[in-house]
Amino acid sequence: MHELSICQSIVNSIQEEMAGMDPRPKRLISARIVVGELRQIVPEFMQNAYQNLTKGSDIEGSQLEIKALTIHGTCEACGWTGPLSKDLCECPSCSSSKLKMEGAMDLYLDNLEIENYVTPEA
Amino acid sequence: MTTTNVKVYKDLMGENEKWANETRRLLTEKCVLMINLIGSPGSGKTALLERMAKSLENRIRFAVLEGDVETTRDAERIAAVNIQASQLLTGGACHLEAKLVHYALKDLPLDDLDMVVVENVGNLVCPAEFDVGEMAKIAVLSVAEGDDKPSKYPLLFHEAKAVILTKIDLLLHVDFDVDDCIANIKRINASAPVFTLSAKTGIGVDNWINWLHERR
């Protein structure tokens, strides 16, 4: 259910970015967000929230693309680095629990695909 | 049709984070510790606070911000043990966010306090996602809920700086393997201490309070 409040922040962020673009874009085709694997975001709920929150706005009809980000692990004991499964809390190489996780809780707006106004050629 | 891809890197929790950081700045300036208690409805968060009010006898002067969907019942329970409490009603939202907590915090007499306890909305999932400006998230799990919960709801236990297993006076009556549960917690979060206690009888409460003392 927290998807709705996070989605409001997505919509606000997209609209802020769009408003700051020069020249002004004609419309938003799609927006991509990146979500760390430990974030408990249900893509279906997020899509529904996006449809509802954009209804009647200047970005109605645009698509939301949700990209999952794999956790990057670094072992502070043996120096191993690599992709980490979210339920793995021990180093796959030396079994130490001194693992540093990167990207697990990331949540950011990554890319906007926009349609431009066609400018008449000079 | 001409289209363009515009690369953006914008943190979507930025607005919440701004308020959370403002809260931490204020707390640091006033030398006040803030913890964020997170657990299921009925896990014993309010009962723990009632017990702390008795056990602490003002050695740590604290106030409580009570998060709930509806009613002021929890704030009334806390006020009844002579602890200042404000009720934060979310009106349906499943978690507290940093802005609401910040405004409630500013109404507290921070100069006369050592600690603020945020009792989040009863929920093992959503509150773990949101930084409300606390120094530590504390996971609260009662033995009546089952020893598999840390594995089922790993984010909260991953984010917690300490875990409290409550209602251990019920251990005779429920199938709950304490060692198994602690092993599950350690797998998710090796550094968080686990406190087993009963708010009803007072067993184990001292260890938790000592940990709070060390944090001050």
Side-chain angles (χ1 to χ4, degrees):
Chain A
M1 212 172 109
H2 56 282
E3 281 84 354
L4 189 64
S5 100
I6 292 173
C7 194
Q8 185 63 61
S9 151
I10 296 174
V11 172
N12 293 347
S13 297
I14 293 172
Q15 287 175 325
E16 271 169 36
E17 289 295 326
M18 299 268 293
M21 284 179 193
D22 186 27
R24 260 196 72 218
K26 188 175 176 195
R27 69 178 182 103
L28 177 70
I29 299 168
S30 70
R32 181 167 68 221
I33 60 165
V34 172
V35 181
E37 246 190 322
L38 263 189
R39 286 264 171 208
Q40 307 167 109
I41 285 176
V42 183
E44 249 183 323
F45 291 179
M46 189 59 96
Q47 294 291 1
N48 285 339
Y50 189 77
Q51 298 304 322
N52 286 323
L53 289 176
T54 54
K55 204 168 277 173
S57 78
D58 50 347
I59 58 170
E60 180 174 2
S62 60
Q63 299 296 309
L64 180 69
E65 193 191 327
I66 302 170
K67 187 181 164 194
L69 179 69
T70 312
I71 303 169
H72 182 79
T74 306
C75 177
E76 289 173 337
C78 76
W80 173 90
T81 65
L84 202 60
S85 131
K86 66 177 174 184
D87 46 16
L88 198 64
C89 302
E90 287 175 353
C91 171
S93 169
C94 76
S95 299
S96 157
S97 57
K98 285 191 171 151
L99 267 186
K100 237 178 72 192
M101 285 183 167
E102 265 174 75
M105 292 294 281
D106 275 15
L107 182 58
Y108 58 90
L109 183 63
D110 179 51
N111 190 76
L112 298 177
E113 189 189 358
I114 53 168
E115 185 184 336
N116 305 305
Y117 282 108
V118 181
T119 41
E121 285 184 33
Chain B
M1 183 171 91
T2 68
T3 65
T4 314
N5 274 302
V6 183
K7 196 77 186 153
V8 196
Y9 182 94
K10 195 165 189 179
D11 184 6
L12 290 166
M13 300 301 270
E15 177 68 13
N16 188 70
E17 209 54 33
K18 192 186 88 191
W19 289 105
N21 288 334
E22 185 55 28
T23 290
R24 259 187 298 272
R25 191 199 57 74
L26 178 65
L27 291 165
T28 309
E29 181 193 309
K30 301 280 183 186
C31 296
V32 174
L33 170 73
M34 186 164 95
I35 60 170
N36 181 2
L37 289 189
I38 303 175
S40 305
S43 57
K45 298 183 292 299
T46 314
L48 175 64
L49 293 172
E50 288 170 321
R51 168 59 70 174
M52 282 163 64
K54 280 187 211 161
S55 308
L56 280 168
E57 291 167 344
N58 253 357
R59 278 176 294 150
I60 300 179
R61 300 164 300 165
F62 72 103
V64 176
L65 299 178
E66 279 288 348
D68 268 308
V69 172
E70 289 292 353
T71 86
T72 54
R73 275 178 209 167
D74 279 1
E76 287 162 26
R77 278 175 64 183
I78 299 300
V81 290
N82 299 317
I83 297 291
Q84 182 168 357
S86 307
Q87 186 79 51
L88 313 186
L89 294 182
T90 66
C94 47
H95 60 272
L96 290 173
E97 292 192 19
K99 187 177 179 181
L100 181 61
V101 171
H102 184 77
Y103 277 92
L105 187 78
K106 286 213 298 197
D107 285 339
L108 291 176
L110 292 177
D111 290 326
D112 304 322
L113 291 172
D114 304 308
M115 177 169 76
V116 173
V117 181
V118 176
E119 184 185 334
N120 219 307
V121 180
N123 183 334
L124 275 181
V125 184
C126 314
E129 300 274 341
F130 294 85
D131 179 2
V132 297
E134 74 278 338
M135 282 79 172
K137 284 188 174 71
I138 310 293
V140 180
L141 175 69
S142 75
V143 300
E145 292 166 68
D147 47 30
D148 55 351
K149 295 303 171 288
S151 314
K152 283 183 166 178
Y153 302 91
L155 178 64
L156 170 61
F157 295 89
H158 182 266
E159 296 294 297
K161 292 277 193 298
V163 179
I164 302 179
L165 293 184
T166 59
K167 306 190 189 183
I168 56 162
D169 52 301
L170 292 181
L171 276 176
L172 278 174
H173 310 285
V174 292
D175 288 326
F176 187 98
D177 188 325
V178 174
D179 293 338
D180 228 32
C181 184
I182 293 178
N184 284 338
I185 294 167
K186 293 288 174 195
R187 250 177 50 82
I188 297 163
N189 186 341
S191 60
V194 181
F195 300 101
T196 52
L197 58 83
S198 163
K200 192 171 179 181
T201 67
I203 289 174
V205 174
D206 282 351
N207 293 336
W208 158 239
I209 285 177
N210 289 340
W211 186 83
L212 284 175
H213 268 297
E214 288 163 17
R215 292 278 140 340
R216 280 186 49 214

